[in-house]
Amino acid sequence: FFCDRLWNANSENHENMKFSIFNVIVALLFMLSCEYSHAQDCVKLYFDSNKDGDELVVQLKVGNFDNILISQFAITYDYSNLELISIQGNTDIELDQTHVFSEIPGYISVSWSNPSVGQSLADGNSLLEMRFTEIISDVSTFAIDPNFDTEFFNAFFEEVCLDATSASINETRTQLVGKLYHDLNGNCIADATDFPLSGWTVFIDGGLEQYYRITDKFGYYTIPVEIGTYTIEVLEPSDLWVSCEAPIIENVIASGEIIENSFVISPNNSSSALEVAVSSSEIQICSNNIYSIRYKNNGTALAQSAIIEFHMDENLDYVSTNTGNFSIDDNLITFDLGSIRPGDGGEFQVVLSASCDNIEVGQTICVDAEISSSDIVIPPVDWGGAILTTKATCEDDSVAFTIQNIGSSPMSNSIQSIVVEDDVMFGSQEVLLDLQEEVKLKYPSTGGVYRILIDQEDGYPLSNFTTDFIESCNGVGTNTYRFVSMFQNDDESPYLDIQCQEVIDATEENRMSAFPVGYREQHFINQNEDIEYTIHFENPDMDTVYNIWIGNRVDESLDLETLVAGPSSHDYTFSIIDERRLRIDFKNIQLPSTEIDPIRSRGFVKFRISQKENLPLGTQITSASIIFFDLKDGIETNEVSHIVGEEFIEVVINTVDLLSEEELVVAPNPATSLLKIEVPAEYKDLSYMLYDTKGSVMSAASVLTNAFYIQRDFLQSGMYFLELRSANKKIGTKKIVFQD
């Protein structure tokens, strides 16, 4: 274990930084000879800076650097502002240039060891001294890279935790900083043994300006502010947590200071709370495609025996993965995660190959990832116990939809299902099911995309609805992705994520996509519906790209408190700067050119965010990004947009009727009591269905002649939709009106 971690500390390009086998063996023998362990405080790393003439000197200083035998870490800095001149290591512990790799702009990695005896440094000593030329005299951030495999071991072969603080150089404003601690012993005091809480949101309210900050791997947040009064509070991710401190009011009366306010967060209830997300590169026929799966325990208790079940589309084949402890059974891959402590998580990748023969451009490929553990408990809610599932299948010349109640109780009230063909609703039925009862709906299929949607009963804790779709049933479906992606998947539960993507002909460089895409060209989505954004990027040059950062302005109609970083192709850091600007950094990404590696030259990153609650109908939400590759000018992506709507699905079968206005005679229209329908004599085996504006069938019958009548009977005044079929094939639709 020790050899593996030490030997693989850096890439094969860093041969000068690896330790000799002899030194490793000596270190192992020395440490294994110890017969007792020593508790040790976290090693502290922080930055200090000063000017030496025209040069900027930045020192990495230490605290609690006691009896350290091995260390490895990486530093990131703003290479667009600074040019590295030199690095000097601490000579007292023989840290020299052979332990440092600094050839990548904005990135410095260190791997150091003493094979015989642990080394100590007094608090405040400098571990590294870095000298820079300032290209631009602007704020520059120095940080310990949270994506690097950072490790510190003492002479007793105990891994020592790290407490690392970032720094902003040339910052003239006052900095509000702090750390979030997971209160393990419940004393509401920040103890050295408490875990840092990473990925949490801190809200800073300055009155006219509000800011959000996301804590880094070490639990820290930082924000520069002007003189004024600010309220600082932690936004707990669920009711499982409670802050020991009330929101802190801080009066900033001077510039250039550093004001620290840390928070201790205690468990309110003991429970794990797992979440999973999946994203992928764009899918091409007969090509390998990368899927990234990200997971986390947002709860307060250890998630035991956790697994992820990853279901592959039948047109995908397993190629490889960068994680262990998994098994494959047909199209199901099961990953054994072991136990996940509160606040912890991870990310891994699966490479899948798209079929060369059975798929075509425009076809939709879906995968899903579901996480579970032996101790998951659904919190008690006011819910009757019914759980509805939906399944779409092809049966002969029809598409069939099965709705089943798999819950623990019968449905307490009927719920209306709707069936959509491509982008219009053409079927509806009230459903009231007993325990384990199912109902099947069948419709003639013409090869489009067919989807069924039905709400869950009120109070069901994992999702508001269930849905399924099928495409190219008994026909050839082309350009169908826009119909699949118009609507949400039923993956609102944090335990489940579904990823559906269109098969494309060729990649589009550096663009954004959103899911759901939204309805038709207006991209209508419902109120309070979450949006998932994916940013796709590709190396635009022949040379390797070492660093990428992406900027995204978050729309005012989106709730920053709900922003969740998602899966990606490469390690990244995620932060909110200014008021609403999202920044994503890929440090040391080493993205090859397309000519060298068409697959590895591409990347992606996904994030999810909610609308602000109950936005007015007609609100437009837009998003676009700008991508910077190394020091080159930014490349702007396309803009994606949505409009908040309500009941926007059209209730007709198709906008193009086979019969013309002259051929399909409906008279009188409007009608008061009796409606005459007439079509050309060559149409046989006629039938009709009459829908109301909600999609419910109000009347239906088969008719024997090409001219027939429909009685109004009990129908209320208003608009209805007539669908006419011949030999069970649609031949026309008509809007009709009954009036008093």
Side-chain angles (χ1 to χ4, degrees), residues 458-478:
D458 290 342
Y460 179 58
L462 298 183
S463 181
N464 293 325
F465 68 101
T466 177
T467 183
D468 195 22
F469 73 90
I470 195 166
E471 61 179 343
S472 304
C473 183
N474 304 313
V476 178
T478 58

Side-chain angles (χ1 to χ4, degrees), residues 17 43 82 87 114-115 205 227 286 291 294 338 392 437 442 467 497 518 710:
M17 300 173 61
V43 171
L82 303 171
I87 300 177
N114 187 302
D205 187 357
I227 293 173
C286 206
Y291 284 82
R294 189 181 182 100
E437 185 182 3
K442 293 184 69 173
T467 183
D497 194 34
I710 297 177

Side-chain angles (χ1 to χ4, degrees), residues 183-242:
D183 186 23
L184 292 175
N185 58 15
N187 64 358
C188 272
I189 298 174
D191 298 315
T193 55
D194 288 342
F195 297 142
L197 290 172
S198 64
W200 281 50
T201 302
V202 179
F203 176 50
I204 301 97
D205 187 357
L208 296 177
E209 296 179 331
Q210 287 84 37
Y211 305 93
Y212 297 86
R213 288 295 181 269
I214 298 172
T215 56
D216 62 19
K217 179 180 179 181
F218 309 105
Y220 281 101
Y221 73 91
T222 179
I223 176 173
V225 296
E226 305 290 351
I227 293 173
T229 300
Y230 299 88
T231 301
I232 310 167
E233 64 176 309
V234 176
L235 303 179
E236 296 89 356
S238 70
D239 293 338
L240 296 173
W241 298 90
V242 61

